[in-house]
Amino acid sequence: AIWMTQSPSLLSASTGDRVTITCRLSEGISNYLAWYQKKPGKAPELLIYAASTLQSGVPSRFSGSGSGTDFSLTISRLQSEDFATYYCQQYYFFPRTFGQGTKVEIK
Amino acid sequence: QVQVVESGGGVVQPGRSLRLSCAASGFTFSSHGMHWVRQAPGKGLEWVAVISNDGSKNYYADSVKGRFTISRDNSKSTLYLQMNSLRVDDTAVYYCAKDRSGLGIDAFDMWGQGSMVTVSS
């Protein structure tokens, strides 16, 4: 199975900060990568698909970039509702795989 | 309102079986691939299985292959996960997720709230 390394695993930040999460894969997947937000007790939500396409209804402060093996998710100005855990996921190969997750917490 | 709602979770002994259901509404169920994804306590997300829109294709994670079976009934807009020979490490919240495509080869754009499965003696 393809390996995914997501970093950092924990990110401490303040409201208004710009934060970036990275996802590195062991094999190239073109742009078949998605980013999800997960809050405790809630369903995961799709933020970005095709590496850089914003899902309908997701605020424009979220953006994604990358291709091949290296990808990133950026939140331009962190809001209180953005404190959550974020996961990257590849959908090029079976089995589908997720990164280990990045918890964004209040500094 | 587009939604998927899981049911059927509970506490079960190791080696026993359980069937999860996922009722879909608000979209054309028969046009979309569907997935099961799980999250063990304190752990990250783990993909479990996918089924194509017409039920003709499915794939499984190695950890459940041969024990779990994904199926669907498009006439009832319902997805299923039959889980046999359950193990303690199958303990998790199980999420049903809608694929953006019919073949199940895209991102997951709608998730349910999850159904807790606890495998314990």
Side-chain angles (χ1 to χ4, degrees):
Chain A
I2 190 170
W3 284 99
M4 301 180 70
T5 303
Q6 192 176 331
S7 60
S9 56
L10 178 64
L11 195 161
S12 298
S14 302
T15 304
D17 284 353
R18 177 184 179 92
V19 300
T20 296
I21 300 166
T22 64
C23 185
R24 175 163 287 178
L25 289 86
S26 59
E27 295 183 57
I29 59 165
S30 183
N31 67 337
Y32 289 74
L33 188 108
W35 290 95
Y36 300 88
Q37 180 190 70
K38 176 73 171 69
K39 296 180 179 179
K42 301 283 191 178
E45 291 189 7
L46 176 64
L47 300 173
I48 302 279
Y49 62 93
S52 61
T53 302
L54 198 66
Q55 170 69 357
S56 175
V58 174
S60 58
R61 63 181 180 271
F62 290 92
S63 64
S65 65
S67 182
T69 60
D70 292 285
F71 300 87
S72 64
L73 172 73
T74 297
I75 309 173
S76 60
R77 278 194 301 272
L78 208 56
Q79 302 296 302
S80 57
E81 61 266 32
D82 301 335
F83 292 98
T85 300
Y86 294 85
Y87 294 91
C88 57
Q89 180 232 346
Q90 65 82 19
Y91 51 95
Y92 189 80
F93 294 107
F94 282 111
R96 301 296 192 235
T97 43
F98 290 88
Q100 305 95 317
T102 294
K103 184 176 181 180
V104 178
E105 66 169 23
I106 301 173
K107 184 186 285 185
Chain B
Q1 181 183 0
V2 178
Q3 65 175 2
V4 291
V5 179
E6 303 91 341
S7 61
V11 181
V12 62
Q13 293 179 326
R16 304 298 290 264
S17 299
L18 202 62
R19 188 176 83 157
L20 301 181
S21 299
C22 169
S25 59
F27 64 97
T28 305
F29 182 72
S30 60
S31 295
H32 291 271
M34 297 295 295
H35 302 259
W36 288 99
V37 177
R38 67 185 182 183
Q39 184 174 34
K43 302 295 186 182
L45 299 172
E46 180 189 14
W47 175 81
V48 173
V50 61
I51 188 167
S52 59
N53 61 329
D54 62 358
S56 64
K57 290 184 171 57
N58 53 63
Y59 297 93
Y60 297 90
D62 287 345
S63 57
V64 306
K65 202 174 294 183
R67 300 187 300 120
F68 289 12
T69 302
I70 189 171
S71 63
R72 63 191 296 159
D73 185 337
N74 285 346
S75 69
K76 296 181 179 178
S77 296
T78 302
L79 175 72
Y80 303 100
L81 185 67
Q82 177 66 42
M83 303 184 292
N84 298 332
S85 303
L86 281 161
R87 309 190 300 222
V88 171
D89 62 359
D90 292 320
T91 295
V93 176
Y94 285 74
Y95 296 98
C96 158
K98 167 183 166 286
D99 196 284
R100 295 183 67 248
S101 75
L103 295 177
I105 57 173
D106 210 322
F108 311 163
D109 63 352
M110 168 60 59
W111 298 63
Q113 292 293 321
S115 184
M116 182 71 209
V117 173
T118 302
V119 185
S120 173
S121 53

